[in-house]
Amino acid sequence: MKRDIRTEDQAIDLISFIKACMASKFTRHPERYVEILHILQKYKLYHLLSRVDLLRRPRSESGSQLKNAWRFQDSYAENLTSAFEELGTCFIKLGQLMSTRSDLLPGAYTSALSRLQDTVTPVPGDIIIDLIERELGTPLSEVFQYIDQEPLATASIAQVHKAILHNGQQVVVKVQRPGVREQVETDIEVMQEVARFLARYTSLGRHYGLLHMVQELKQSLSQELDFLQEAENTRLVGLILSDFPRLISPNVFQEHTSQRLLTLSFLQGQHVAHIPRDVLMDMDTTAIAQDLLSAYLKQMVVSGIFHCDPHPGNILLTDDGQLALLDFGMVGRFDSRQKENVILLMLAFSERQGERVADIYLEMVEVSEQFNRQAFTQAICSLVSRYHDMGNGRMEIGRALLELAVIAQSHHTPIPASFTLLGKAMLNLDGTLRTLAPDMNPVQLIRSYMGVVMQQQALSQISPARAYTWLLDTRHVAENMPHRSDLISDKLAHDRLTLRLNIEHMDLTLQRVARKLSLGMIISSLVISVSLFFSSRVSKGS
């Protein structure tokens, strides 16, 4: 009974605190806070927050202690998921993002949040017609011969309607829901306010990068709200998929597309997640799965732009046996350096080189002076070995990458946003590949494909111009070597050879190391100089 009284008292304290914050101009959106508080109360989540003790400032709190605090309240996992669904777009996307953070939440929560679906009550057909005409700037009848006012699919950002153009082409029209952009902007501001507060006053915010998580969410939603950007993403990924005959993506009708309206060709088929297993067994799904994985590897390490959500619900098996990728609202992008790191990382994973995986990851981030490289490397080696020992090569790369991020977080190491997107995309891809071809060995395919890519990249660097440049540089070095050897030997003969080191801000221990290093370099220089001296004399004598 005492525990219940304590919980209720803490809930009252939490409400009083938030009201005080709003009264002191903590936020520009007090009405939204009231809505959020009402939904938290509806699903009895005050008990959960008070149990975690978010408003304390503990001197230290490990990740395991925090997860244990949540674990005592596993029964609230479904309540939290329902609350996020009711709170709308931003919270649904936040929940989906949190479902990958096994360092922050126990399994009951990550499992419940991973099932979040952003299906909502559809907007009435007459409102949709008005929105489409407003975006097109012309009466609907001038563009479409027919449009179905009942949606094919609904989501928190948009809903999709089937239509027919005047030339008989079947299309789907994706329409942004009214007011969703304004609601997203408000909720992002609310989340940033809360994340800033938690980062300042709690270990939860400081240690688990909540501000970074909200920023990642903001970037993701800004892409998904811009249908012109989604149209361009669809076109770019479609060009990549054109090299794979078993894969397809919808065509964009640019003249009937705007920032809030997207018109695409209609693809007839079934979602992979809904196809019975016996139907899949009658098809060559292994070849399709190999094409799908190869296409994603090409997107990531060759083209540098990749579809982030290849889960079974976003993939159709068309009536003619092709695999159709849908929904390109969110894509990841890699620059040339990031593509190289992804190639090396994937190869190191596939070759079971744990130390190499750790080294490549650390090249992608900056670590503090207190960073324990040895402990981090040991943890990564254990991770790589564990995943290789599971399932005879049926290694889930996506889950392994996300676990790598968890290890990095536990060692207080930064997590690149590109790495999070890579892990999320590969995790979704793992599920689709498992549905299509449960016996396929993705590790072997990754190893083979990455080897081919590296060979192609190496050959692409060999061109007549590059070869000629290298030849000229080599000739320049060869022509100047005797002269520079004479200079070194002359300085050595007249005791004028010096080595200059400029080392600042170094403690006594490092100074001793530097002196030994300097002595070693001087001795090495002397040996090299003597060798060059005698080589020069011998060549002149001959």
Side-chain angles (χ1 to χ4, degrees):
M1 187 66 180
K2 290 182 179 179
R3 181 178 294 178
D4 291 339
I5 294 174
R6 174 179 175 273
T7 301
E8 294 297 334
D9 288 344
Q10 287 185 331
I12 293 170
D13 290 344
L14 182 61
I15 296 172
S16 300
F17 172 79
I18 294 175
K19 286 181 177 178
C21 285
M22 291 191 291
S24 62
K25 298 182 179 179
F26 173 78
T27 180
R28 298 194 300 116
H29 310 288
E31 299 85 359
R32 184 54 173 164
Y33 275 92
V34 171
E35 290 179 33
I36 294 170
L37 290 173
H38 173 72
I39 292 174
L40 291 178
Q41 186 178 30
K42 175 181 176 180
Y43 291 99
K44 300 182 175 59
L45 293 175
Y46 289 147
H47 303 283
L48 177 63
L49 295 179
S50 61
R51 180 71 189 185
V52 179
D53 291 332
L54 290 181
L55 299 183
R56 286 187 178 183
R57 292 192 67 177
R59 293 181 181 177
S60 65
E61 186 177 63
S62 68
S64 59
Q65 289 174 326
L66 181 61
K67 287 176 68 173
N68 287 336
W70 288 80
R71 189 170 285 112
F72 283 116
Q73 302 293 325
D74 278 357
S75 59
Y76 287 102
E78 295 297 336
N79 289 32
L80 182 64
T81 301
S82 299
F84 277 7
E85 279 185 315
E86 190 166 334
L87 285 166
T89 304
C90 269
F91 288 87
I92 289 169
K93 300 297 182 184
L94 177 64
Q96 292 170 349
L97 190 60
M98 289 174 63
S99 71
T100 66
R101 295 295 301 270
S102 55
D103 60 321
L104 183 62
L105 298 172
Y109 286 87
T110 56
S111 177
L113 292 171
S114 67
R115 296 192 298 271
L116 269 173
Q117 300 295 322
D118 53 358
T119 53
V120 295
T121 304
V123 177
D126 56 337
I127 297 178
I128 287 295
I129 298 301
D130 182 60
L131 286 171
I132 295 174
E133 289 185 335
R134 203 181 314 160
E135 288 300 313
L136 292 174
T138 185
L140 199 69
S141 58
E142 293 187 10
V143 178
F144 301 107
Q145 177 186 141
Y146 165 81
I147 186 166
D148 190 351
Q149 294 194 23
E150 290 297 320
L152 282 174
T154 62
S156 57
I157 288 180
Q159 60 189 55
V160 178
H161 292 257
K162 188 176 179 181
I164 301 176
L165 298 174
H166 283 295
N167 62 4
Q169 173 81 51
Q170 293 189 68
V171 297
V172 291
V173 183
K174 184 175 180 179
V175 189
Q176 197 169 114
R177 296 170 66 89
V180 68
R181 182 180 296 273
E182 294 76 12
Q183 184 64 66
V184 165
E185 290 173 353
T186 296
D187 282 350
I188 287 293
E189 285 192 29
V190 167
M191 289 180 181
Q192 287 175 326
E193 291 166 353
V194 173
R196 278 194 293 266
F197 172 81
L198 294 177
R200 183 175 181 181
Y201 293 106
T202 72
S203 61
L204 174 75
R206 288 193 300 275
H207 293 165
Y208 291 93
L210 297 188
L211 273 170
H212 175 77
M213 190 185 297
V214 174
Q215 183 60 29
E216 186 178 332
L217 179 67
K218 180 179 179 180
Q219 292 175 350
S220 170
L221 285 170
S222 66
Q223 282 195 55
E224 293 190 53
L225 287 168
D226 186 352
F227 288 178
L228 288 174
Q229 181 63 59
E230 181 174 347
E232 180 63 10
N233 295 341
T234 305
R235 186 188 67 82
L236 290 173
V237 177
L239 290 174
I240 300 169
L241 298 181
S242 63
D243 291 338
F244 301 89
R246 296 182 181 90
L247 305 180
I248 192 174
S249 63
N251 296 321
V252 178
F253 291 82
Q254 198 69 45
E255 65 275 19
H256 306 318
T257 294
S258 70
Q259 195 171 38
R260 292 178 172 85
L261 184 73
L262 178 61
T263 305
L264 303 166
S265 58
F266 176 71
L267 299 176
Q268 184 71 45
Q270 285 183 283
H271 288 286
V272 169
H274 300 153
I275 301 175
R277 184 66 206 154
D278 57 342
V279 175
L280 290 175
M281 290 178 66
D282 292 335
M283 307 176 63
D284 190 4
T285 52
T286 299
I288 296 174
Q290 289 174 344
D291 267 8
L292 180 63
L293 178 54
S294 298
Y296 268 86
L297 294 176
K298 181 179 180 182
Q299 290 175 55
M300 292 170 180
V301 303
V302 178
S303 303
I305 175 172
F306 60 94
H307 182 212
C308 283
D309 291 317
H311 58 77
N314 268 347
I315 297 180
L316 290 177
L317 190 61
T318 65
D319 294 344
D320 56 359
Q322 288 181 302
L323 212 60
L325 273 63
L326 308 174
D327 192 0
F328 297 89
M330 181 61 183
V331 299
R333 284 181 166 82
F334 291 146
D335 58 28
S336 57
R337 182 58 181 163
Q338 289 170 329
K339 288 190 292 184
E340 290 177 6
N341 284 330
V342 170
I343 293 174
L344 296 173
L345 193 71
M346 292 285 200
L347 274 175
F349 251 115
S350 66
E351 297 291 345
R352 197 171 181 157
Q353 297 175 336
E355 292 186 6
R356 182 67 174 142
V357 171
D359 290 342
I360 294 166
Y361 183 85
L362 293 177
E363 288 177 7
M364 300 165 66
V365 298
E366 293 184 8
V367 296
S368 65
E369 295 179 358
Q370 294 77 29
F371 174 69
N372 188 334
R373 189 185 187 99
Q374 182 178 2
F376 176 79
T377 301
Q378 289 176 346
I380 297 302
C381 288
S382 176
L383 168 73
V384 174
S385 296
R386 176 160 51 86
Y387 270 89
H388 266 274
D389 291 338
M390 293 165 52
N392 296 322
R394 190 71 179 89
M395 188 171 78
E396 296 181 328
I397 294 289
R399 193 171 299 280
L401 291 175
L402 290 175
E403 279 202 38
L404 194 161
V406 171
I407 292 172
Q409 185 72 53
S410 68
H411 285 77
H412 308 296
T413 304
I415 303 173
S418 57
F419 191 86
T420 305
L421 289 176
L422 174 65
K424 179 185 175 185
M426 292 303 294
L427 181 66
N428 286 329
L429 190 61
D430 285 339
T432 301
L433 295 174
R434 191 165 49 248
T435 300
L436 289 170
D439 297 327
M440 190 183 81
N441 183 349
V443 173
Q444 183 59 45
L445 183 60
I446 289 172
R447 185 184 296 129
S448 301
Y449 189 87
M450 290 299 182
V452 171
V453 169
M454 289 191 71
Q455 289 177 9
Q456 291 175 345
Q457 290 195 351
L459 289 173
S460 68
Q461 300 299 313
I462 301 175
S463 65
R466 287 177 182 270
Y468 187 64
T469 301
W470 177 82
L471 181 62
L472 290 178
D473 289 342
T474 305
R475 178 186 171 187
H476 178 74
V477 172
E479 287 177 345
N480 285 276
M481 180 63 74
H483 174 66
R484 290 175 178 172
S485 299
D486 279 343
L487 287 177
I488 294 173
S489 59
D490 184 66
K491 288 180 180 291
L492 180 63
H494 294 85
D495 198 23
R496 294 202 304 269
L497 183 67
T498 59
L499 182 66
R500 185 180 303 165
L501 292 176
N502 185 14
I503 305 175
E504 298 179 353
H505 308 299
M506 185 175 289
D507 60 22
L508 293 176
T509 301
L510 289 178
Q511 287 179 8
R512 286 194 293 271
V513 173
R515 281 196 290 269
K516 291 180 180 179
L517 179 62
S518 301
L519 180 60
M521 293 177 69
I522 291 170
I523 293 173
S524 300
S525 300
L526 289 173
V527 171
I528 293 171
S529 299
V530 170
S531 300
L532 291 172
F533 175 81
F534 283 109
S535 297
S536 175
R537 291 293 178 260
V538 169
S539 63
K540 286 182 178 180
S542 60

